[in-house]
Amino acid sequence: MHRLFATIPVLMLSAATAFAQPSKPAAKKDLVEFEMMTSPEVKAALAAGKTTALVYTGGTEQRGPQNVNGGHTLMGRETVRTIALKLGNAIALPVLPYTPNNASATLPGTIGLTPEILAMVLERITDEAIKTGFKNVILMGDHGGGQGQPNTYAEVAKKLDARYAPQGMHVYFCDEVYAKANADFDKMLEAKGLPRSSHAGIPDTSEMLYLGGDKGWVRKELIPTAVGNPVPPPGQRGRGRQGGGDAAATGAAGTPPETGAPAGERGRGRGQQPADPNAPPRINNGISGDARPSTAALGKQIFDLKVEYAVKQIQGFLSNQKTTPQ
């Protein structure tokens, strides 16, 4: 019995010591986030061949009643970090939290840039990345703002690649992480018999559930009522995901048409026909489509598509350098 009582303090001390141990730091090979690295670590990574900088933009905008406003940026951090890990030769720069969009007092939550300001920011970040020692810079975005026509990312990449290519450095726009991944996921949803949705709908809500369902990214109790304005079939709506924003049913870039569009154009998106006067009243809760079927499993599918498409496209960019004379 005496031995038992003597053992208890030792066990308690061992347990307390175990709980007090700090979490194991990430292995050096797993350090791919620029903002989480020290200066010597960045220098060592560059020397070891991690010479591709990933410039990923997020966005700050209302995402319906159920999703937090920073969704694009939060998803972007996880996406670009995973892309960098899978590439093995890249470092993810801090995700830019603002992209082309328009604020609204009716649906507060959106803070946006103009395409011109985004272009200047992307150009400056790229120049700074190359000064740091990166040989390749990849521009990508989680939000549709700036990815329409004209495409801000593509224009900046073309301009800067022409400037740096003679020096053996390159700048690329990776569009498949957004356009192709979202288009293919929409087809997958249709094949499953699920309703069309866009901004704050099934794709957004599902991915946020998968990546941050336990982190407060989604108000799960509101998903059963997360339904907005219907999304018309392709060809009967504005530019949607491929246009200047991914809030086709809430206006040009997150601003409700009823409050943000010029007189005589309210009730229609960019490129759409005038609103049907016999149509039911718009809900205007920030959701385009129906987010109620959203699940973490669907979120994993769209997340995996984005990562897979980006990695493949970027690898193609880099391998083409080796086969194309400079």
Side-chain angles (χ1 to χ4, degrees):
M1 182 65 71
H2 176 73
R3 180 177 299 175
L4 174 62
F5 284 121
T7 303
I8 290 176
V10 176
L11 292 175
M12 293 177 65
L13 178 62
S14 298
T17 302
F19 282 117
Q21 291 295 322
S23 57
K24 186 178 180 181
K28 290 293 177 67
K29 65 181 180 62
D30 295 331
L31 289 175
V32 295
E33 294 172 284
F34 194 86
E35 60 190 327
M36 298 302 293
M37 301 169 71
T38 65
S39 176
E41 288 168 347
V42 171
K43 191 168 186 177
L46 287 167
K50 289 186 176 181
T51 55
T52 296
L54 305 181
V55 178
Y56 206 97
T57 65
T60 302
E61 65 174 342
Q62 64 79 21
R63 312 193 65 72
Q66 80 280 16
N67 300 324
V68 298
N69 299 328
H72 277 308
T73 304
L74 295 169
M75 291 185 286
R77 287 174 183 159
E78 293 297 321
T79 303
V80 72
R81 182 181 66 84
T82 305
I83 292 170
L85 285 170
K86 288 188 175 293
L87 285 171
N89 61 354
I91 293 177
L93 299 191
V95 174
L96 184 67
Y98 301 107
T99 40
N101 219 325
N102 296 309
S104 166
T106 302
L107 291 173
T110 300
I111 302 293
L113 305 177
T114 63
E116 294 77 16
I117 292 175
L118 175 64
M120 289 189 291
V121 172
L122 291 176
E123 184 168 347
R124 174 66 176 178
I125 291 173
T126 299
D127 288 341
E128 292 290 285
I130 289 177
K131 288 179 184 177
T132 298
F134 289 100
K135 304 300 182 184
N136 303 289
V137 178
I138 313 294
L139 306 182
M140 296 179 277
D142 199 77
H143 175 249
Q147 298 199 56
Q149 296 298 328
N151 189 308
T152 303
Y153 297 82
E155 290 182 347
V156 170
K158 181 179 180 180
K159 173 185 176 181
L160 296 184
D161 193 62
R163 177 191 301 172
Y164 287 112
Q167 304 173 45
M169 294 167 284
H170 293 277
V171 183
Y172 303 102
F173 168 48
C174 174
D175 62 319
E176 295 189 5
V177 70
Y178 181 81
K180 180 175 171 57
N182 279 307
D184 286 355
F185 185 68
D186 287 343
K187 294 175 184 177
M188 292 171 57
L189 292 179
E190 290 184 32
K192 295 175 182 291
L194 292 171
R196 296 178 182 276
S197 63
S198 180
H199 181 75
I202 296 174
D204 291 345
T205 305
S206 293
E207 187 174 354
M208 291 179 70
L209 278 172
Y210 171 60
L211 296 173
D214 59 346
K215 302 174 184 176
W217 297 10
V218 181
R219 307 297 183 250
K220 297 179 183 179
E221 71 278 7
L222 298 181
I223 292 180
T225 58
V227 58
N229 298 299
V231 176
Q236 298 182 30
R237 57 177 172 173
R239 294 182 294 180
R241 290 187 182 278
Q242 302 299 330
D246 49 4
T250 54
T255 304
E258 288 73 19
T259 60
E265 296 184 11
R266 294 177 182 175
R268 73 180 92 164
R270 292 181 180 177
Q272 289 182 291
Q273 297 300 313
D276 180 357
N278 299 316
R282 295 178 63 82
I283 299 174
N284 287 327
N285 61 354
I287 303 174
S288 298
D290 190 346
R292 292 175 297 181
S294 302
T295 65
L298 288 172
K300 183 180 187 306
Q301 291 183 45
I302 179 63
F303 177 78
D304 289 345
L305 275 181
K306 290 163 68 173
V307 172
E308 176 189 346
Y309 288 0
V311 169
K312 185 176 180 179
Q313 188 176 22
I314 294 168
Q315 288 175 335
F317 291 149
L318 302 183
S319 63
N320 190 52
Q321 290 180 18
K322 301 174 184 178
T323 58
T324 302
Q326 298 296 327

